[in-house]
Amino acid sequence: MSTIEGDTSPSSPPLRQGLRSKALAEKVVFRTTLRGSVLLREACVCISTRAARLSAVGIGSLLEMVP
């Protein structure tokens, strides 16, 4: 996910290359469009942001318990 999030190039070559290699390893036909790549990147950003917020809530609650 970090590779996908870090990919800011307009044509998303690292994203496409990574997905293509994964698809080849699993013997799956894979095609992607620029729109699909952008949507996948946005989904990864949303997921990682939510995970970070949930982690922060847990840490915050632990810190409140410390006298």
Side-chain angles (χ1 to χ4, degrees):
M1 280 182 52
S2 62
T3 303
I4 294 172
E5 283 186 67
D7 181 20
T8 58
S9 61
S11 60
S12 301
L15 169 64
R16 290 181 181 190
Q17 183 180 14
L19 291 175
R20 191 172 294 118
S21 66
K22 178 76 171 156
L24 289 174
E26 295 179 3
K27 296 179 174 62
V28 176
V29 175
F30 178 77
R31 293 187 187 131
T32 183
T33 62
L34 179 59
R35 182 172 185 264
S37 298
V38 170
L39 289 173
L40 180 60
R41 182 179 180 282
E42 289 300 315
C44 288
V45 169
C46 289
I47 291 167
S48 64
T49 301
R50 178 171 168 76
R53 288 180 179 158
L54 289 171
S55 296
V57 168
I59 292 169
S61 67
L62 289 174
L63 291 175
E64 280 188 9
M65 294 173 66
V66 176

